[in-house]
């Protein structure tokens, strides 16, 4: 792993001690991380938006969730270079299928050669589009309702609540939705006047609104986890 990849990974954590986060990564995460995922982290490290990549410790938990629900049919909203997408493709069965949606195919193609080399690209249906229109199109077919096992969302924050409403229809009861960046660099707990400029704006407010909405949503069992930039795990219960 390159020095840039190590630096990008270490800065994703919200633990107060970088040494403790590094200990977790080097003791429990990196030794078990599949080689293709290491390669995607490496090729992403030089990208100016490298921080958008999924944190490897969060990815490790996501892989466990996929196994726990025996996920076979999944949705990914926001792909970037494909770390979480490849993680899902490596985890689900050989005949599993991922509907992967992103407005930018160019960043997806950064990781695509690694995905192909891993032999899992046949599981991926990549759609270059805004996500809402794709989700609405899926919902026009009643057979898609309650048919998905798992969803991962790491895209435009202003639409997270809109995505959630549609995913509650697409996911089966017992299915899981995971939302990324739900602690927004830790600023969700910081008074507005103390929030650094680069964390301000509509996205932070949307995350605050989402967190309140998910906490009040009776349709889901909820766990808000301080991994990476914060992930929220929602299990549909009805």
């Amino acid at each position: 792993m390159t020095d840039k990849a190590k630096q990008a990974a270490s800065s994703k954590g919200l633990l107060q001690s970088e040494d403790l986060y590094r200990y977790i990564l080097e003791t429990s995460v990196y030794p078990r991380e599949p080689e293709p995922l290491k390669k995607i982290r490496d090729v992403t490290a030089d990208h100016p938006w490298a921080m958008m990549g999924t944190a490897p410790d969060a990815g490790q938990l996501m892989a466990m969730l996929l196994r726990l629900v025996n996920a076979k049919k999944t949705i990914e909203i926001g792909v970037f270079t494909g770390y979480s997408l490849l993680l899902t493709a490596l985890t689900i069965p050989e005949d599993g299928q991922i509907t992967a949606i992103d407005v930018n195919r160019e960043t997806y193609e950064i990781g695509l050669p690694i995905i192909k080399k891993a032999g899992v690209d046949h599981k991926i249906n990549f759609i270059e589009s805004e996500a809402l229109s794709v989700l609405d199109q899926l919902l026009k077919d009643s057979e898609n309702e309650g048919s998905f096992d798992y969803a991962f969302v790491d895209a435009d924050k202003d639409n997270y609540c809109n995505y959630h409403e549609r995913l509650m229809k697409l996911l089966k009861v017992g299915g899981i939705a995971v939302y990324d960046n739900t602690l927004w660099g830790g600023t969700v707990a910081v008074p507005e006047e103390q929030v650094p400029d680069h964390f301000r704006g509509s996205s932070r407010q949307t995350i605050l609104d989402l967190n309140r909405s998910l906490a009040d949503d009776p349709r889901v069992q909820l766990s808000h986890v301080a991994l990476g930039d914060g992930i929220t795990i929602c299990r549909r219960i009805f």
Side-chain angles (χ1 to χ4, degrees):
M1 183 172 51
T2 66
D3 290 340
K4 284 187 178 180
K6 289 180 180 178
Q7 183 179 5
S10 66
S11 60
K12 289 286 286 186
L14 291 173
L15 292 175
Q16 290 184 351
S17 167
E18 286 286 347
D19 289 338
L20 179 56
Y21 187 50
R22 175 62 55 187
Y23 172 83
I24 292 170
L25 292 175
E26 294 184 349
T27 302
S28 302
V29 179
Y30 292 156
R32 289 176 172 263
E33 185 181 39
E35 192 61 31
L37 292 178
K38 296 179 192 293
K39 290 180 179 177
I40 281 202
R41 280 200 295 109
D42 280 346
V43 300
T44 303
D46 289 326
H47 196 282
W49 302 338
M51 283 296 295
M52 290 173 55
T54 302
D57 52 330
Q60 187 180 59
L61 177 59
M62 288 157 53
M64 184 179 292
L65 293 171
L66 286 159
R67 296 281 190 191
L68 286 171
V69 298
N70 295 314
K72 184 175 180 180
K73 186 178 180 183
T74 77
I75 299 176
E76 179 142 342
I77 302 173
V79 172
F80 191 42
T81 58
Y83 185 94
S84 56
L85 179 61
L86 176 56
L87 179 149
T88 301
L90 290 169
T91 306
I92 64 176
E94 185 63 21
D95 60 344
Q97 283 294 312
I98 308 166
T99 299
I101 312 163
D102 200 296
V103 295
N104 189 345
R105 185 179 180 90
E106 184 178 342
T107 51
Y108 167 59
E109 289 183 345
I110 293 173
L112 185 56
I114 298 168
I115 293 171
K116 288 182 175 180
K117 189 173 181 179
V120 293
D121 54 299
H122 64 283
K123 302 180 187 181
I124 299 167
N125 175 27
F126 179 84
I127 302 171
E128 186 176 15
S129 172
E130 300 284 350
L132 284 179
S133 61
V134 176
L135 299 178
D136 288 339
Q137 188 64 37
L138 288 171
L139 285 167
K140 288 181 180 179
D141 183 348
S142 60
E143 292 188 2
N144 284 324
E145 292 191 20
S147 69
F148 287 83
D149 304 298
Y150 175 91
F152 178 59
V153 182
D154 184 10
D156 55 315
K157 313 312 172 194
D158 290 346
N159 271 314
Y160 267 31
C161 288
N162 292 324
Y163 296 148
H164 181 69
E165 288 307 312
R166 287 154 176 81
L167 290 175
M168 286 300 100
K169 297 175 183 178
L170 290 167
L171 285 170
K172 61 178 60 174
V173 172
I176 288 177
V178 177
Y179 298 94
D180 201 9
N181 305 118
T182 55
L183 292 177
W184 206 240
T187 64
V188 291
V190 175
E192 177 68 29
E193 63 274 11
Q194 297 177 21
V195 175
D197 289 343
H198 61 284
F199 280 114
R200 296 191 181 202
S202 63
S203 293
R204 176 178 176 272
Q205 186 58 52
T206 297
I207 291 297
L208 290 168
D209 294 341
L210 173 78
N211 291 340
R212 285 191 290 266
S213 177
L214 294 180
D216 291 337
D217 190 343
R219 298 168 296 180
V220 299
Q221 180 183 10
L222 181 72
S223 180
H224 203 166
V225 186
L227 289 175
D229 192 28
I231 61 172
T232 301
I233 303 163
C234 299
R235 176 178 173 269
R236 184 186 172 191
I237 55 178
F238 67 82

